[in-house]
Amino acid sequence: MRCEVVAVGTELLLGQIVDTNSSWIGERLALAGIDSHYQTKVGDNHERIVAVLKQALDRSDAVIVCGGLGPTPDDITRDAIAAVMGVKLVRDNDLVERIRSRFSGRGRHMPKSNLRQADVPQGASIISSMPGTAAGLICPVGDKVIYAVPGVPWEMQQMMLQGVLSDMTTRSGVTAVIASRTLRTWGQSESGLAEQLNDEIRRLDRTGEATIAFLASGWEGLKVRITTKANTKAEAESALAAEELCVRELIGEFVFGVDDDTMEAVVIQILRNRGMTLGLAESFTGGLIAARITAVAGCSDVFRGGIVPYDRDLKIALLNTPAVDTVSAEMAEAMARGACKSLGTDCSIAMTGVAGPAPLEDHDPGTIYIAVCIKGIVESTRIDLPFDRERIRQFSCIMSLNMLRTRLLARN
């Protein structure tokens, strides 16, 4: 089966909203073993939506239309689908009551405009999962099908997972299981990882056992995705495990986590396993590391707190640092020692540097010093980042966490 994705909304074309829905749907289609060769965005115009849907049906077996199912006059996806099907819209009274109950459950009166959301093209069926007031639709067009889902991401995702994908799989006759695993890496470039894995990728091309793909994700690191196809879930998981071992033998030093693991969650768990606590001394990152760490549920048994001395005099006063160059290894190391002492922790991360855009103390933007203190032993490093201010802050954050991770693991 080939499936095309159509995202509806003038705001998508104007760049007012980023179309993350299409990428999410595309990923789920791939995992379900369904080919998707085209993705299209179209504005809120009846004729153009109809034209795009007809084109999609000409070259694909199924179309997923995302957006345009709301109650306002510019929500015309239902009308366009009915036109493609050559049928009229019919009001579904059961759907009216479901929508009305959504409002009454929140103590609100349903506006008359929401009745439009109960209009369904003749011959279409309603997707049973309905988290909001917009109903998803399954609309047969000859031997092909159009699925209509809301543009609200969490509503769309629930309908896809609980209705669309299972219906599509049944129609396609796909019985094989496609599974994937993502290795999260830091410290190596995409081209560097590709070189290290080149022989293995070529071997997989010959055998068809699995595929390897790369995804650069900014300060979340580089993702190496392993995908395999098998007759059963157990067979797919076994193949993934075997291939993960092969990949780790080649790039294991750069792998910090799997699937949804974040660098901060991994660091917190390492510290927890060792019964150690963490404190921070952040300068130009302004608490960015602390924000990421405190987003990890249960971090309070490890993380004691952070100090953000942006001013040089505060570094001296709060962390008892010497009156040295702010942008220096000596300052970073003194901050790390001071953080452990002031916060009463076993470990600390300290950072000082120039985020820009202007130089500081004759140092160019992107000049960063990171120091890590573990049980009184301090190590520091200098990095030079050729980025804008925000990316300098972001990359410094993840690099400092990775530095602590690697130093902790090296203590084994």
Side-chain angles (χ1 to χ4, degrees):
M1 173 176 275
R2 294 165 301 170
C3 178
E4 187 159 336
V5 181
V6 175
V8 175
T10 301
E11 66 276 8
L12 300 175
L13 300 177
L14 297 177
Q16 296 170 344
I17 295 178
V18 177
D19 178 22
T20 58
N21 285 342
S22 293
S23 58
W24 187 92
I25 293 172
E27 182 180 32
R28 292 310 180 279
L29 291 174
L31 292 175
I34 296 169
D35 293 329
S36 182
H37 298 155
Y38 300 95
Q39 292 186 355
T40 306
K41 285 189 277 287
V42 61
D44 300 310
N45 177 277
H46 185 273
E47 289 74 19
R48 287 192 284 272
I49 296 174
V50 170
V52 165
L53 291 178
K54 287 182 177 180
Q55 180 186 48
L57 288 171
D58 283 342
R59 60 192 181 191
S60 301
D61 305 298
V63 181
I64 297 174
V65 188
C66 187
L69 297 179
T72 58
D74 61 344
D75 290 310
I76 54 176
T77 294
R78 288 176 295 264
D79 307 76
I81 292 175
V84 172
M85 295 174 67
V87 299
K88 296 180 179 180
L89 288 172
V90 179
R91 184 151 296 173
D92 186 305
N93 292 324
D94 290 337
L95 193 51
V96 169
E97 293 308 311
R98 288 182 66 180
I99 298 170
R100 198 188 305 277
S101 69
R102 291 286 190 277
F103 282 90
S104 61
R106 301 169 190 168
R108 298 176 182 175
H109 174 73
M110 184 185 78
K112 288 184 179 179
S113 60
N114 283 92
L115 290 173
R116 296 184 66 246
Q117 293 182 290
D119 293 340
V120 178
Q122 277 185 318
S125 56
I126 298 167
I127 297 172
S128 58
S129 175
M130 184 176 157
T133 60
L137 304 172
I138 302 175
C139 310
V141 185
D143 59 349
K144 301 185 177 185
V145 61
I146 297 175
Y147 300 94
V149 293
V152 179
W154 70 274
E155 293 184 25
M156 174 276 293
Q157 291 172 13
Q158 185 171 317
M159 286 189 190
M160 285 290 300
L161 295 174
Q162 297 181 8
V164 174
L165 290 174
S166 58
D167 185 84
M168 194 178 298
T169 300
T170 300
R171 291 173 184 269
S172 69
V174 172
T175 58
V177 174
I178 295 178
S180 69
R181 185 169 301 170
T182 301
L183 302 185
R184 308 284 294 273
T185 75
W186 186 265
Q188 178 61 290
S189 65
E190 183 174 354
S191 57
L193 290 176
E195 283 185 3
Q196 290 177 271
L197 293 171
N198 182 57
D199 289 343
E200 179 63 10
I201 292 172
R202 294 177 67 179
R203 185 188 73 81
L204 293 175
D205 286 342
R206 293 194 304 269
T207 65
E209 297 170 20
T211 60
I212 292 176
F214 304 95
L215 177 62
S217 303
W219 64 325
E220 299 301 335
L222 270 165
K223 299 175 183 177
V224 180
R225 174 166 294 169
I226 306 167
T227 304
T228 189
K229 185 176 182 178
N231 292 323
T232 67
K233 183 177 180 180
E235 290 177 1
E237 291 297 326
S238 177
L240 281 180
E243 186 54 35
E244 180 182 347
L245 286 176
C246 292
V247 173
R248 282 182 179 272
E249 287 180 2
L250 297 169
I251 62 165
E253 63 181 304
F254 301 111
V255 177
F256 69 82
V258 178
D259 291 336
D260 295 326
D261 290 340
T262 61
M263 182 70 79
E264 55 271 21
V266 169
V267 169
I268 288 294
Q269 191 58 50
I270 293 172
L271 290 168
R272 181 179 291 122
N273 292 342
R274 301 184 182 199
M276 301 172 77
T277 53
L278 174 66
L280 302 173
E282 300 184 62
S283 179
F284 65 93
T285 48
L288 191 59
I289 306 174
R292 289 197 60 141
I293 288 175
T294 53
V296 179
C299 70
S300 58
D301 61 337
V302 169
F303 183 55
R304 293 291 300 275
I307 299 172
V308 185
Y310 207 69
D311 182 79
R312 178 173 174 269
D313 292 338
L314 281 179
K315 292 180 174 71
I316 297 171
L318 297 177
L319 297 170
N320 196 31
T321 65
V324 296
D325 188 347
T326 299
V327 187
S328 65
E330 187 177 0
M331 176 59 82
E333 291 174 7
M335 289 171 64
R337 292 189 188 94
C340 281
K341 184 175 181 180
S342 298
L343 298 169
T345 61
D346 304 300
C347 307
S348 68
I349 297 172
M351 282 206 301
T352 185
V354 191
L360 175 66
E361 297 175 354
D362 296 325
H363 294 285
D364 292 329
T367 305
I368 309 300
Y369 286 92
I370 302 172
V372 166
C373 181
I374 303 175
K375 297 288 187 179
I377 299 175
V378 182
E379 296 179 72
S380 65
T381 187
R382 170 177 168 158
I383 56 176
D384 295 279
L385 300 173
F387 303 136
D388 57 74
R389 180 181 177 85
E390 187 55 30
R391 287 200 296 167
I392 287 172
R393 297 174 69 247
Q394 291 177 350
F395 277 69
S396 298
C397 173
I398 195 74
M399 293 176 84
S400 67
L401 286 166
N402 189 56
M403 182 175 173
L404 176 58
R405 180 186 72 88
T406 56
R407 297 301 189 276
L408 287 168
L409 295 178
R411 289 169 56 87
N412 284 341

